């Protein structure tokens, strides 16, 4: 009766595509969905693609489980949150010791940690798996970030590696640590994705509002940049988005799209995680803030009526080469921050996250895939530095590119064009490389009002000052 290599529950967009990918790779997959009509639709899709002989459809949950070979690997791809917990409760009486639930939705890493611990007590493995690449990735090769018990990862490893994206033949799939490690890394991936997208949008702002370039001209620049160090999926699709024309009006599509960005939460989760871990991630935070401010369209319209339109460049020169280098520098800072967040989380939660491997499995399949990540994984593989800003290859780039970032942020500030993310990256860089900061003053203030103490540079131990009891006016 047990004929399937793996099972999958949840045949909406992501689950269907992942199941077809598994079938195409030669594995027999049992499929189930709460609403049975979705199973029939899926079988129709699999038949159209000549994959139905690899599919074992089953509407009854207990029978579905009985059709999977032991030790079982059961993927759940249902809506994140409570549906995942509900599904786990339904599966628990049906699974046996050594079986595993592979949860592949966009779950909060702390939920995955909790589920991992809960199921461990019951002898069931819980793998929290971050899957990046959207619908297309799920079908043809996503980047797969796995967290959970190593034993059950090994059971599922051949299938997960087979269905993942490949970079130079290497699978973009890796085991990253216990508990919530996989979903944590996926969350930071999404935070970095937010940063990349926001910095691209800020550079587009200079092109549109400073240089008055038409979308098609800007698209040409992005196409050129895609041949250089910025080569990446996001730069490539930026060219396509800027080139698209709205068919009814013949207007560039981008000019008709409302400037209010949506967000589903993973960017916010990564900013919160960074704050909770005490790691600055100003680029990610800036990107989240930019989306939030974008959603307040009415307020922005009202504020522009009060303060007037941006001044514009007013004849100031902007070199496209500087714009490219500024984007590269901002991106390096943003990735540096994201990787420090992961290094800190690794230490805090005892995950031993492999930074070079993470950069490797992001080289293909996921939204932030880029040439840059190949360089980054090589750099991390060589050294111990967790901050990319101190990794030799990137030090070389930043030594020149930070000048361009500085020029662009300065010119944008004078032109009154917003750069939440790029300016945050520059401020982080300048703070990070400044040996003598200014929080000596902050420490003095803290001691004044709260007796928090300070260290004096010429002696040992915490000190206090005898401050006046009231301020004189
Ligand atoms: P949805 O997030 O829209 O969820 C729909 C699926 O959940 C259906 O199969 C539905 O069954 C099932 N479901 C729900 Br809703 N409540 C359930 C419950 N209580 N018990 C059992 N099943 C339940 O699907 P999706 O868009 O395919 O996304 C799946 C996961 O992948 C989500 O976590 C999502 O955030 C993530 N995602 C990731 C990416 C990416 O790029 N990695 C992209 C898009 C989505 P029904 O048919 O009976 O209603």
């Amino acid at each position: 009766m047990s004929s399937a290599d793996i099972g999958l529950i949840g045949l909406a967009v992501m689950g269907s595509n992942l199941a077809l990918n598994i079938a195409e790779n030669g594995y027999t997959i049992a499929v189930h969905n709460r609403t049975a009509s979705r199973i029939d639709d899926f079988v129709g899709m699999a038949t159209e693609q000549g994959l139905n002989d690899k599919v074992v459809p089953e509407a009854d949950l207990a029978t579905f489980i009985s059709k999977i070979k032991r030790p079982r690997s059961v993927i759940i791809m249902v809506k994140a949150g409570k549906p995942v917990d509900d599904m786990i409760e339904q599966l628990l009486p049906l699974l046996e010791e050594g079986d595993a639930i592979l949860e592949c939705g966009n779950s909060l890493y702390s939920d995955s940690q909790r589920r991992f611990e809960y199921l461990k007590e019951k002898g069931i493995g819980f793998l929290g798996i971050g899957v990046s690449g959207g619908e297309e990735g799920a079908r043809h090769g996503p980047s797969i970030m796995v967290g959970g018990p190593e034993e059950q990862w090994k059971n599922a490893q051949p299938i997960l590696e087979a269905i993942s994206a490949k970079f130079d033949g290497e699978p973009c799939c890796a085991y990253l640590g216990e508990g919530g490690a996989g979903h944590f890394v996926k969350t930071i991936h999404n935070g970095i994705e937010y940063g990349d997208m926001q910095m691209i949008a800020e550079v587009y702002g200079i092109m549109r509002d400073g240089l008055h370039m038409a979308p098609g001209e800007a698209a040409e620049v992005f196409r050129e940049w895609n041949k250089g160090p910025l080569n990446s999926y996001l730069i490539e699709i930026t060219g396509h988005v800027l080139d698209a024309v709205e068919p009814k009006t013949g207007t560039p599509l981008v000019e008709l799209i409302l400037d209010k960005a949506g967000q589903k939460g993973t960017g916010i989760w990564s900013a919160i995680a960074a704050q909770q871990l005490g790691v600055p991630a100003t680029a990610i935070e800036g990107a989240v803030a930019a989306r939030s401010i974008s959603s307040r369209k009415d307020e922005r319209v009202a504020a522009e009526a009060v303060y007037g339109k941006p001044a514009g460049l007013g004849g100031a020169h902007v070199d496209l080469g500087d714009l490219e280098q500024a984007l590269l520098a901002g991106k390096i800072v943003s990735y540096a921050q994201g990787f420090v967040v992961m290094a800190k989380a690794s230490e805090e939660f005892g995950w031993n996250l492999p930074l070079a491997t993470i950069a490797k499995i992001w080289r293909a399949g996921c939204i932030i895939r880029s040439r840059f990540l190949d360089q980054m994984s090589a750099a991390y593989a060589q050294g111990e530095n967790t901050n990319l800003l101190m990794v030799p290859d990137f030090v070389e780039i930043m030594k020149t590119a930070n000048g361009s970032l500085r020029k662009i942020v300065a010119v944008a500030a004078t032109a009154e064009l917003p750069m939440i993310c790029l300016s945050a990256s520059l401020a982080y860089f300048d703070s990070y490389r400044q040996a003598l900061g200014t929080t000596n003053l902050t420490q003095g203030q803290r001691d004044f009002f709260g007796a928090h103490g300070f260290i004096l540079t010429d002696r040992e131990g915490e000190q206090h000052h005898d401050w006046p009891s009231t301020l004189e006016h």
Side-chain angles (χ1 to χ4, degrees), residues 10-14 33-35 38 78-80 83 87 105-106 131 134:
L11 292 168
V13 180
M14 292 298 286
N33 192 77
R34 179 181 60 176
T35 308
R38 271 217 161 109
V78 301
K79 202 176 182 65
M87 203 63 246
N106 265 342
V131 176

Side-chain angles (χ1 to χ4, degrees), residues 209-210 212 307-315 412-417:
D209 302 326
H212 304 294
Y307 291 104
K309 287 192 173 301
L313 290 178
T414 311
E416 301 173 356
L417 297 175

Side-chain angles (χ1 to χ4, degrees), residues 9-15 33-35 38 77-80 82-84 86-87 90 103-107 131-135 186 264 367:
I9 300 170
L11 292 168
V13 180
M14 292 298 286
N33 192 77
R34 179 181 60 176
T35 308
R38 271 217 161 109
M77 201 46 151
V78 301
K79 202 176 182 65
K82 191 170 178 299
V84 173
D86 292 347
M87 203 63 246
Q90 287 180 57
E103 201 274 299
C104 295
N106 265 342
S107 290
V131 176
S132 176
E135 186 181 339
K186 170 66 164 56
K264 285 191 173 169
I367 304 296

